Amino acid sequence: KLGQFIRQRRNNFQFLYKNLQPLSKYLALPEPTENSNPSWFGFSVRVKKNSPIRRNEIVQSLNERNIGTRLLFGGNLTKQPFYKGFNSRISGKLHSTDSIMNDVFWLGVQPNLTEKMKKFVVTQLTEIFTKEDIYVWKQADHRFWNGQ
């Protein structure tokens, strides 16, 4: 059973990786470490700075479409409530951990995903980046910043 479990996770990962390539202009997709063959826990996606839609809007839109996501725990731990007032030394600006905290989300690769479910995830995520959806987000962002 474990072998099938691992194979299915890898297959689900490969499906998402292959089919989300058209969005790689805006999304950084995960890559395995050289000379590794991981049994993926999830499919982490980092929203690039040039994306017309931010991570929270993407996650909200996916959730509205009944696609569950998760945020990557932690990121910049120095900004977590537990660490407020904690005496620690920080070296540098922690840009990478800030990016993980603000720009990364996970999609599932659990073995029970069907082809129909995986295609739905890809289709819906792709639709979020259509001009119509980007226009709606930009309009909402404009209204927010203008106090409307």
Side-chain angles (χ1 to χ4, degrees), residues 3 5 9 12 19-20 28-29 32 36 38 41 51 59 61 76-77 90 94 98 101 103 125 131 137-138 146:
F5 181 88
R9 280 187 177 268
N12 292 345
N19 290 287
L20 291 176
L29 306 178
S36 70
F41 177 72
S51 172
V59 167
S61 187
N76 186 343
L77 293 178
I90 299 171
L94 306 178
D98 285 340
M101 181 177 66
D103 303 325
L125 191 50
K131 288 182 181 176
W137 285 115
K138 291 215 176 276
N146 288 306

Side-chain angles (χ1 to χ4, degrees), residues 25-27 46-54 95 98-100 102-103:
K25 178 180 179 181
Y26 301 124
L27 303 175
R46 182 178 54 81
V47 180
K48 294 179 179 179
K49 296 296 179 200
N50 69 327
S51 172
I53 309 171
R54 302 303 336 137
H95 295 295
D98 285 340
S99 176
I100 291 168
N102 296 316
D103 303 325

Side-chain angles (χ1 to χ4, degrees), residues 5 34 36 42 48 63 70 74 84 92 103 110 115 124 126 135:
F5 181 88
E34 189 176 348
S36 70
K48 294 179 179 179
N63 288 334
R70 298 291 180 268
K84 292 216 185 288
D103 303 325
Q110 63 269 22
E115 287 298 308
Q124 297 304 306
T126 301
Y135 177 77

Side-chain angles (χ1 to χ4, degrees), residues 62-73:
L62 288 171
N63 288 334
E64 288 170 357
R65 298 163 191 236
N66 295 315
I67 298 171
T69 63
R70 298 291 180 268
L71 301 182
L72 184 60
F73 171 78

Side-chain angles (χ1 to χ4, degrees), residues 8 11-13 15-16 19-20 62 65-68 107-126:
Q8 194 58 47
N11 289 342
N12 292 345
F13 178 92
F15 181 91
L16 291 175
N19 290 287
L20 291 176
L62 288 171
R65 298 163 191 236
N66 295 315
I67 298 171
L107 295 169
V109 294
Q110 63 269 22
N112 64 342
L113 292 174
T114 65
E115 287 298 308
K116 184 177 179 181
M117 291 172 173
K118 292 184 289 188
K119 286 178 182 176
F120 182 74
V121 169
V122 170
T123 300
Q124 297 304 306
L125 191 50
T126 301

